[in-house]
Amino acid sequence: MKNKVITIDKAMTFVKDGSSLMMTGFGQSGSPRHLIRALSKTDVKNLHTISDDLGVAEHGFDQTISALVNNKQISKAECCFIGQNPEASRQYIEGTLDIDFIPMGTFAERIRAGGAGIGGFYTKTGIGTVVEEGKETKVINGEKYLLELPLRADVAFLHAYKADKAGNAIFKYTARNYNTIMATAADTVILEAEKIVEIGDIEPDEVQLPGVFVDYVVEAEEDIL
Amino acid sequence: MANYRETIAKNVAPLLKDGDFVNLGVGIPTLVGNFLPEGVDIILHGENGSAGIRGRLAENVYEDADTFLEWERTHKGEMTDYTVGHKDLLDAGSRPITLVPGACNFDIVTSFTMPRGGHLDKTVLGAMQVAQNGDLANWLVPGQMATGMGGAMDILAGTKTVIIATTLTAKNGKPKLLRECTLPLTAVKCVSTVVTEKCIAEIRDERFHIVSMYPGVTEQEIREAIDADVIFDDNMQIMVE
């Protein structure tokens, strides 16, 4: 199988001004901090991000997506929760950061649809709320549902604890979160791994993310938060 | 009623039964776990991918970035002890947690299949407003700091029993239990029971049925604090102090 390992500098060349970018992570957990930190050092701007949240900024944690928010590299964000990053709220209220808030389960399922070749789905989440506004609705088995459409991105950043050079990956505990679905829903999928092993070193039945979804693998440095 | 938060949590606890699969929201709901009766074992859901949370670490490793970084260095990689903690084992608030034996972790799609698909028995959440038909508003005050709805709308869309743990009135004294919510809704007709520091109200037939009251609190006091249709149960219970 093909060795997909590239340098982090090479990985940065796939993200361009105006790119749509999926990033895994639920707050700190499973966040591709190494790729994000490298991106925060580039002058790429006008990003359209698709991520659970916009990072954790409290107590000096600024290596999650909050680093990109602080640099004002994001102009449009689709996410679920920004309660742990007051700077994102500030930019949103100021009008410099456009945010589309999406209910988390719907957000996950839209990404899944985007990666699975599904053209949309009906859900009860958001019925009777602002989320329903402008959406097609349908009564199914006597209950009202609303139509949600798939989400895709140009590039996805993922984070695994362990991967082989072909991109087969394993996650620890709650770090799995969006990794398994975002890997399927972007044109270019870049996986950072804390530990990279040889092809064949991971038992096939222990793989949580099939390497076929991964385009490139980057080694994550050890010492950053 | 010195500590109203504890009073509310203590009175939510008896509503959780042995074996229940439960999601607890932030704030007062997270305290509920401290007051479960002996022998009542519930499975705590964490929407970021856990079933079987024990709780946050006793030591505060999240005080500042340096302390957390140091803790991460010694709790990472191959290390596998869910009773001690790991840098990749966090709750929805990004704080390190431990798990109970028999716990499991999963991805976000699986995590939201649980509530939305009706596999979660109960959720305990906070509220800004609750309407007498069960509508809930707890995510947005127009014009104030926006945070997003997170997973609340999805959890409410399918969880069988929704318990609200909140003060009877807002900080400015205005009623939270209303005929109709005026704030943007999180979900419609979803609330089963509201536990406050002064009374417990069940929502039935589009009314608040007061089924339990805190010692010393009068019916008059409760009527004045609720701007909705209220019925006092004939078999009134006394809340836990």
Side-chain angles (χ1 to χ4, degrees), chain A residues 32-48:
Chain A
R33 311 174 199 174
H34 311 263
L35 288 163
I36 291 170
R37 182 174 69 166
L39 187 61
S40 74
K41 288 176 177 170
T42 69
D43 53 10
V44 168
K45 56 187 184 303
N46 207 18
L47 289 168
H48 170 179

Side-chain angles (χ1 to χ4, degrees), chain A residues 158-164 167-181 183-184 191 202-214, chain B residues 88 104-107:
Chain A
L158 276 51
H159 177 97
Y161 130 74
K162 185 158 98 175
D164 69 19
N168 292 301
I170 298 177
F171 308 92
K172 274 289 187 188
Y173 302 111
T174 54
R176 198 178 325 176
N177 56 61
Y178 292 90
N179 280 282
T180 44
I181 50 168
T184 67
L191 169 75
I202 299 178
E203 278 294 315
D205 62 356
E206 284 178 4
V207 172
Q208 294 173 344
L209 171 64
V212 290
F213 293 123
V214 176
Chain B
D88 288 339
C104 58
N105 293 111
F106 32 81
D107 67 20

Side-chain angles (χ1 to χ4, degrees), chain A residues 33 82 89 172 174 194-195, chain B residues 72 78 80 87-88 146-147:
Chain A
R33 311 174 199 174
I82 59 168
S89 287
K172 274 289 187 188
T174 54
E194 293 168 40
K195 184 174 176 182
Chain B
E72 275 201 330
E78 300 281 354
T80 297
K87 80 167 184 66
D88 288 339
T147 62

Side-chain angles (χ1 to χ4, degrees), chain A residues 141-204:
Chain A
N141 295 332
E143 285 192 276
K144 193 176 170 190
Y145 289 74
L146 58 85
L147 176 66
E148 293 284 1
L149 300 176
L151 264 179
R152 285 192 62 89
D154 297 326
V155 182
F157 284 176
L158 276 51
H159 177 97
Y161 130 74
K162 185 158 98 175
D164 69 19
K165 289 176 177 175
N168 292 301
I170 298 177
F171 308 92
K172 274 289 187 188
Y173 302 111
T174 54
R176 198 178 325 176
N177 56 61
Y178 292 90
N179 280 282
T180 44
I181 50 168
M182 286 187 175
T184 67
D187 296 340
T188 302
V189 176
I190 306 168
L191 169 75
E192 65 172 42
E194 293 168 40
K195 184 174 176 182
I196 297 175
V197 299
E198 293 302 323
I199 293 170
D201 281 1
I202 299 178
E203 278 294 315

